[in-house]
Amino acid sequence: MQNQDSSDKLPAHVAIIMDGNGRWAQARGLSRSAGHRAGADAVRTVVTRCRTLGIRHLTLYAFSSENWNRPRAEITALFSLLLEFLQQEVPLMEEKGIALKVFGDVDGLPLAQRTALRHAISRTAGGQHMTLNLALNYGSRAELVRAIQSFVRDGVRPEDITEASLAARLYTAGQPDPDLLIRTSGEQRLSNYLLYQCAYSELYFTPVAWPDFDESQLDAALAAYAGRSRRFGKTQEQINGC
Ligand code: IPE
Ligand code: IPE
Ligand code: MG
């Protein structure tokens, strides 16, 4: 019996933990920054493929709140790659109808990146085909704390705090929860990514390092997703019957 929830449908929202740039570079005798540069190329490939396939929401973990603990030179390299990426990609995104959003504490980013992101977000805001969310200076626990603080600040009564009203105060407001969460490079953990939103996401772990994650790797992840049976607490018989 076909599973109507996934096998004949693409995920509406794919979230990716793009991991393994450092090890990819190390294995080739390159600097970690060179690994991140190769990782940025994989971002271009995957965004284009998702747009072609008709995936409506793509969320990429680009820099976690905890990544500030990395060496200064690596952080600098990552942020200059971000600027380069925005300069090159924003006109193309605009052309392809891709709206850029940022999940995370933008105010905590360096001024040049903050400015470029604000510009990119407003320039692509009309994009109707796909939303590309970049999780930058993002941590899921911080996101939840921020949402709770906003309830208190707005004087919301406890009985008005619901799953829906909480979801509306997360960065993902207005977008569906990720159907599929992919993590590359063999690690099998969430690293503080979309903890609330991924309650029912299908998880896909691959040993492939992020710079090697290409169209065929994405297609393999989507095929695995299509073979999953999503039940959301129901029995398989109930799913088959509806
Ligand atoms: C992912 O690759 C990119 C970021 C976290 C910014 P890593 O840099 O974590 O690569 P590994 O895990 O060290 O190989
Ligand atoms: C998660 O990868 C963050 C990003 C991909 C941006 P990390 O490499 O930072 O995660 P841990 O530290 O191995 O859990
Ligand atoms: Mg890593």
Side-chain angles (χ1 to χ4, degrees):
M1 188 96 189
Q2 291 253 307
N3 172 10
Q4 303 201 328
D5 274 317
S6 59
S7 63
D8 53 356
K9 281 193 205 152
L10 277 176
H13 186 169
V14 175
I16 307 183
I17 302 175
M18 311 185 288
D19 199 12
N21 295 350
R23 279 163 285 167
W24 181 92
Q26 201 171 26
R28 286 158 182 78
L30 301 170
S31 66
R32 293 183 61 86
S33 302
H36 295 312
R37 179 167 287 283
D41 290 337
V43 169
R44 291 179 177 89
T45 304
V46 167
V47 170
T48 304
R49 182 73 180 150
C50 286
R51 170 69 181 83
T52 304
L53 292 172
I55 288 167
R56 303 301 302 266
H57 306 265
L58 175 64
T59 303
L60 301 176
Y61 207 179
F63 193 85
S64 76
S65 330
E66 290 75 29
N67 286 147
W68 291 110
N69 295 318
R70 297 207 174 189
R72 173 65 27 203
E74 181 173 348
I75 296 173
T76 305
L78 278 166
F79 285 133
S80 66
L81 274 171
L82 172 65
L83 277 189
E84 214 178 283
F85 178 85
L86 293 173
Q87 271 152 19
Q88 288 170 0
E89 299 304 313
V90 165
L92 297 172
M93 289 175 61
E94 201 180 0
E95 201 179 295
K96 293 184 197 159
I98 302 174
L100 182 78
K101 295 206 165 145
V102 176
F103 292 174
D105 180 13
V106 181
D107 292 339
L109 295 174
L111 180 63
Q113 281 71 13
R114 229 154 60 205
T115 309
L117 284 166
R118 296 227 162 93
H119 168 77
I121 292 166
S122 71
R123 193 157 157 196
T124 61
Q128 295 290 320
H129 293 293
M130 185 172 122
T131 303
L132 171 62
N133 306 300
L134 282 186
L136 270 170
N137 198 13
Y138 173 84
S140 190
R141 289 179 174 180
E143 178 185 31
L144 287 165
V145 167
R146 175 179 170 271
I148 293 161
Q149 286 172 338
S150 81
F151 276 129
V152 175
R153 199 174 300 117
D154 294 347
V156 177
R157 295 176 309 166
E159 56 273 31
D160 292 331
I161 299 178
T162 61
E163 292 186 12
S165 68
L166 174 57
R169 287 168 191 257
L170 300 178
Y171 294 118
T172 38
Q175 300 190 52
D177 285 341
D179 301 293
L180 173 64
L181 171 67
I182 298 171
R183 183 168 189 150
T184 58
S185 91
E187 309 303 338
Q188 302 192 6
R189 55 176 171 266
L190 296 177
S191 303
N192 203 13
Y193 193 43
L194 303 171
L195 302 180
Y196 186 82
Q197 296 90 335
C198 284
Y200 266 103
S201 305
E202 293 295 324
L203 309 181
Y204 179 85
F205 299 107
T206 171
V208 172
W210 175 249
D212 289 331
F213 194 87
D214 58 11
E215 288 96 344
S216 65
Q217 299 296 334
L218 179 69
D219 291 354
L222 295 172
Y225 170 81
R228 303 276 179 92
S229 171
R230 303 185 77 189
R231 291 196 280 279
F232 299 99
K234 295 180 182 174
T235 68
Q236 188 59 52
E237 289 67 31
Q238 287 175 299
I239 300 289
N240 293 345
C242 61

